[in-house]
Amino acid sequence: MAKTAEFLVSTSGQMSVPAAVRHRWGLDNGGRVTVVDLGDAVVLLPPGGRHKLLAQALSAEDHRRFVQGLDDPDLATT
Protein backbone atom coordinates (compact mmCIF):
# COMPACT_ATOMS: atom_id res chain seq x y z
CA MET A 1 0.00 0.00 0.00
CA ALA A 2 3.01 2.32 -0.36
CA LYS A 3 2.08 5.65 -1.86
CA THR A 4 3.97 8.88 -2.20
CA ALA A 5 2.67 12.40 -1.91
CA GLU A 6 4.07 15.90 -1.68
CA PHE A 7 3.06 18.09 1.25
CA LEU A 8 3.33 21.78 1.95
CA VAL A 9 5.12 22.63 5.19
CA SER A 10 4.14 25.99 6.71
CA THR A 11 6.70 28.51 7.94
CA SER A 12 5.92 27.31 11.48
CA GLY A 13 6.74 23.69 10.49
CA GLN A 14 3.20 22.37 10.31
CA MET A 15 1.88 20.04 7.65
CA SER A 16 -1.37 18.20 7.08
CA VAL A 17 -1.73 14.44 7.08
CA PRO A 18 -4.19 13.41 4.32
CA ALA A 19 -7.74 12.68 5.51
CA ALA A 20 -7.61 9.05 4.30
CA VAL A 21 -4.48 8.42 6.38
CA ARG A 22 -5.92 10.16 9.44
CA HIS A 23 -9.04 7.99 9.16
CA ARG A 24 -7.06 4.75 8.69
CA TRP A 25 -4.87 5.63 11.71
CA GLY A 26 -7.83 6.62 13.90
CA LEU A 27 -6.79 10.27 14.04
CA ASP A 28 -10.02 11.85 12.80
CA ASN A 29 -10.09 14.07 15.90
CA GLY A 30 -6.32 14.60 15.97
CA GLY A 31 -3.71 12.82 18.02
CA ARG A 32 -0.06 11.96 18.21
CA VAL A 33 2.16 10.28 15.65
CA THR A 34 5.76 9.14 15.94
CA VAL A 35 8.30 10.89 13.72
CA VAL A 36 11.49 8.98 12.88
CA ASP A 37 14.26 11.15 11.40
CA LEU A 38 16.48 8.92 9.24
CA GLY A 39 18.73 11.78 8.18
CA ASP A 40 17.75 11.79 4.52
CA ALA A 41 14.11 10.92 5.17
CA VAL A 42 11.39 11.21 7.78
CA VAL A 43 8.98 8.40 8.59
CA LEU A 44 5.61 9.05 10.23
CA LEU A 45 4.20 6.16 12.24
CA PRO A 46 0.64 5.83 13.56
CA PRO A 47 -0.05 5.52 17.28
CA GLY A 48 1.60 2.29 18.46
CA GLY A 49 3.37 1.94 15.12
CA ARG A 50 6.88 2.11 16.55
CA HIS A 51 6.37 -1.00 18.69
CA LYS A 52 4.75 -2.91 15.84
CA LEU A 53 7.53 -1.92 13.42
CA LEU A 54 10.27 -2.93 15.84
CA ALA A 55 8.54 -6.22 16.68
CA GLN A 56 8.33 -7.10 13.00
CA ALA A 57 11.93 -6.08 12.36
CA LEU A 58 13.53 -8.24 15.08
CA SER A 59 11.82 -10.16 17.84
CA ALA A 60 13.30 -10.20 21.33
CA GLU A 61 14.09 -13.90 20.91
CA ASP A 62 15.87 -13.30 17.58
CA HIS A 63 17.88 -10.50 19.22
CA ARG A 64 18.84 -12.75 22.12
CA ARG A 65 20.01 -15.50 19.75
CA PHE A 66 21.99 -12.98 17.70
CA VAL A 67 23.74 -11.53 20.76
CA GLN A 68 24.55 -15.00 22.11
CA GLY A 69 26.22 -15.85 18.81
CA LEU A 70 28.61 -12.90 18.85
CA ASP A 71 32.30 -13.72 19.22
CA ASP A 72 33.19 -10.30 20.66
CA PRO A 73 32.61 -10.35 24.45
CA ASP A 74 32.13 -6.56 24.52
CA LEU A 75 29.33 -6.72 21.95
CA ALA A 76 27.76 -9.82 23.46
CA THR A 77 26.53 -7.85 26.47
CA THR A 78 24.03 -5.73 24.53
PDB file of all heavy atoms in Angstrom, residues 24 26 31 42 45 49 56 76:
ATOM      1  N   ARG A  24      -7.611   6.106   8.563  1.00  0.00           N
ATOM      2  CA  ARG A  24      -7.064   4.750   8.695  1.00  0.00           C
ATOM      3  C   ARG A  24      -6.310   4.599  10.021  1.00  0.00           C
ATOM      4  O   ARG A  24      -6.340   3.540  10.648  1.00  0.00           O
ATOM      5  CB  ARG A  24      -6.147   4.442   7.508  1.00  0.00           C
ATOM      6  CG  ARG A  24      -5.675   3.019   7.437  1.00  0.00           C
ATOM      7  CD  ARG A  24      -4.971   2.651   6.132  1.00  0.00           C
ATOM      8  NE  ARG A  24      -3.848   3.514   5.813  1.00  0.00           N
ATOM      9  CZ  ARG A  24      -3.819   4.387   4.801  1.00  0.00           C
ATOM     10  NH1 ARG A  24      -4.866   4.517   4.013  1.00  0.00           N
ATOM     11  NH2 ARG A  24      -2.757   5.129   4.563  1.00  0.00           N
ATOM     12  N   GLY A  26      -6.991   6.276  12.770  1.00  0.00           N
ATOM     13  CA  GLY A  26      -7.834   6.623  13.901  1.00  0.00           C
ATOM     14  C   GLY A  26      -7.548   7.997  14.469  1.00  0.00           C
ATOM     15  O   GLY A  26      -7.678   8.220  15.667  1.00  0.00           O
ATOM     16  N   GLY A  31      -4.436  13.772  17.187  1.00  0.00           N
ATOM     17  CA  GLY A  31      -3.706  12.823  18.023  1.00  0.00           C
ATOM     18  C   GLY A  31      -2.222  12.897  17.750  1.00  0.00           C
ATOM     19  O   GLY A  31      -1.747  13.771  17.031  1.00  0.00           O
ATOM     20  N   VAL A  42      12.176  11.216   6.550  1.00  0.00           N
ATOM     21  CA  VAL A  42      11.392  11.214   7.776  1.00  0.00           C
ATOM     22  C   VAL A  42      10.268  10.209   7.602  1.00  0.00           C
ATOM     23  O   VAL A  42       9.616  10.174   6.558  1.00  0.00           O
ATOM     24  CB  VAL A  42      10.810  12.618   8.078  1.00  0.00           C
ATOM     25  CG1 VAL A  42       9.854  12.573   9.246  1.00  0.00           C
ATOM     26  CG2 VAL A  42      11.928  13.608   8.343  1.00  0.00           C
ATOM     27  N   LEU A  45       4.806   7.417  11.822  1.00  0.00           N
ATOM     28  CA  LEU A  45       4.197   6.158  12.242  1.00  0.00           C
ATOM     29  C   LEU A  45       2.924   6.450  13.017  1.00  0.00           C
ATOM     30  O   LEU A  45       2.884   7.386  13.819  1.00  0.00           O
ATOM     31  CB  LEU A  45       5.161   5.369  13.135  1.00  0.00           C
ATOM     32  CG  LEU A  45       6.455   4.908  12.479  1.00  0.00           C
ATOM     33  CD1 LEU A  45       7.397   4.350  13.519  1.00  0.00           C
ATOM     34  CD2 LEU A  45       6.161   3.880  11.415  1.00  0.00           C
ATOM     35  N   GLY A  49       2.667   2.453  16.286  1.00  0.00           N
ATOM     36  CA  GLY A  49       3.373   1.940  15.116  1.00  0.00           C
ATOM     37  C   GLY A  49       4.831   1.617  15.368  1.00  0.00           C
ATOM     38  O   GLY A  49       5.379   0.696  14.772  1.00  0.00           O
ATOM     39  N   GLN A  56       8.239  -6.404  14.287  1.00  0.00           N
ATOM     40  CA  GLN A  56       8.326  -7.096  13.003  1.00  0.00           C
ATOM     41  C   GLN A  56       9.763  -7.149  12.499  1.00  0.00           C
ATOM     42  O   GLN A  56      10.148  -8.085  11.809  1.00  0.00           O
ATOM     43  CB  GLN A  56       7.454  -6.394  11.973  1.00  0.00           C
ATOM     44  CG  GLN A  56       5.985  -6.560  12.213  1.00  0.00           C
ATOM     45  CD  GLN A  56       5.140  -5.720  11.262  1.00  0.00           C
ATOM     46  OE1 GLN A  56       5.629  -4.819  10.595  1.00  0.00           O
ATOM     47  NE2 GLN A  56       3.851  -6.012  11.215  1.00  0.00           N
ATOM     48  N   ALA A  76      28.700  -8.789  23.010  1.00  0.00           N
ATOM     49  CA  ALA A  76      27.763  -9.823  23.464  1.00  0.00           C
ATOM     50  C   ALA A  76      27.015  -9.448  24.721  1.00  0.00           C
ATOM     51  O   ALA A  76      26.215 -10.218  25.217  1.00  0.00           O
ATOM     52  CB  ALA A  76      28.509 -11.146  23.660  1.00  0.00           C
TER      53      ALA A  76
END
